[in-house]
Amino acid sequence: MAGVIAAVAIGLLLVAPGTQASAEIRPVPEAEGYEYLPGEPAIWGSVGGTVGAYYDKACTGGYAIAGDSGFFLTTAATCGWMIASDRSIRGEAGNYADVFATRAEDPTVLLKMRPGNNAYQIIVDPTTGSSPGSGMVQGWTRSVDQPVGLLVGKMGIDTGWTEGKVLGTAPGRFGELLLCTDAAASAGDVGGPVWRYDSNGLRALGTVVALTDAGGACYRPIQETLYHYGAYLPSFGPPQGRPSWGTFAPGMVAYQGTVNATYSGRTIDKGDDWRQ
């Protein structure tokens, strides 16, 4: 089928192991033949609590990116209080991926899909199943081409498909700069894809990694994420290769408000459905 993202791998160091789950948690089945789409649930297993009372963090999955010998899914590092290589990620059909690695320079984290599952670069609203246009991503937009006032869309498991305008930049979790918007978002939407659909087709803009005090989404531009991981974005359009470090658009301003960029995700009981 056209659009299948071929298996490729980015060589990165694994991070420290995390907390062990208790025997009292609900079992989660293994996904088989899962077809992941950007915007679908990315629920972190056993991220906190005490023995016998573990909980999950319900977040949203972002784009698939690829390197020399593997492909990975992206989501927000703020979904987990500890980024651990044994942290399982589940969706509709059960566990489909595991946390693989992160970089201190970027607020995203890479997820490695488990064998027997696949990913398609087709954006979907997880709450309705709808997509902008065909949903097929034609490529990505440079940071410099994302100015103040640009209309963007985002997908997330809490508020679904929302749209808004770029308002300005704000510092993120590691001091990196994010683009903040007035596109509505809440805790479970972090990790989701930010996009724009216009005469150039459907294009990836970035990943939701923080929330504003006004309930808007802040995102890490996709160019910076690709640069830090030495990766490229598989798409249905012409190849764009691996980008260099980007710069923000002329006339960019600072966001006038506060931003939560440290810890997010919606808390749900271990093994529970992500729907509110």
Side-chain angles (χ1 to χ4, degrees):
M1 178 182 293
V4 176
I5 300 174
V8 255
I10 304 169
L12 297 171
L13 295 177
L14 295 178
V15 285
T19 309
Q20 296 298 312
S22 85
E24 298 178 27
I25 60 177
R26 296 180 181 87
V28 176
E30 183 74 13
E32 295 182 2
Y34 187 75
E35 296 183 346
Y36 171 88
L37 307 177
E40 293 192 349
I43 303 172
W44 294 53
S46 304
V47 298
T50 58
V51 174
Y54 275 85
Y55 57 83
D56 292 344
K57 278 291 183 179
C59 294
T60 306
Y63 297 104
I65 65 176
D68 293 334
S69 57
F71 87 88
F72 299 90
L73 311 179
T74 57
T75 189
T78 52
C79 293
W81 66 272
M82 180 182 291
I83 307 301
S85 58
D86 63 349
R87 191 77 71 221
S88 62
I89 304 295
R90 64 182 173 90
E92 295 285 0
N95 293 322
Y96 66 86
D98 298 284
V99 173
F100 182 74
T102 188
R103 286 278 177 86
E105 304 91 346
D106 199 86
T108 60
V109 64
L110 301 185
L111 309 177
K112 181 72 171 178
M113 291 199 83
R114 295 185 176 184
N117 304 304
N118 213 334
Y120 297 79
Q121 209 79 285
I122 300 174
I123 297 173
V124 65
D125 176 351
T127 65
T128 65
S130 58
S131 299
S134 67
M136 295 188 294
V137 176
Q138 300 300 312
W140 54 271
T141 297
R142 300 182 305 165
S143 302
V144 72
D145 295 325
Q146 301 183 43
V148 171
L150 183 72
L151 181 65
V152 305
K154 81 101 189 64
M155 299 299 189
I157 65 170
D158 279 4
T159 60
W161 174 342
T162 63
E163 297 183 5
K165 294 181 179 179
V166 173
L167 303 177
T169 62
R173 184 179 189 182
F174 305 112
E176 76 285 356
L177 286 179
L178 312 177
L179 288 175
C180 291
T181 76
D182 57 6
S186 62
D189 297 327
V190 295
V194 179
W195 48 271
R196 178 174 170 82
Y197 183 48
D198 58 18
S199 59
N200 294 314
L202 181 60
R203 305 189 74 81
L205 300 185
T207 304
V208 178
V209 294
L211 304 172
T212 71
D213 55 350
C218 295
Y219 66 95
R220 180 63 162 165
I222 188 71
Q223 181 174 357
E224 274 57 62
T225 295
L226 294 173
Y227 169 77
H228 278 301
Y229 284 112
Y232 63 93
L233 185 83
S235 76
F236 291 87
Q240 292 177 271
R242 307 180 194 206
S244 60
W245 178 253
T247 58
F248 288 105
M252 184 57 66
V253 299
Y255 171 70
Q256 299 301 304
T258 58
V259 171
N260 174 16
T262 56
Y263 189 52
S264 195
R266 174 160 48 87
T267 300
I268 62 174
D269 288 338
K270 176 66 182 173
D272 273 6
D273 191 280
W274 58 272
R275 296 173 180 81
Q276 299 188 70

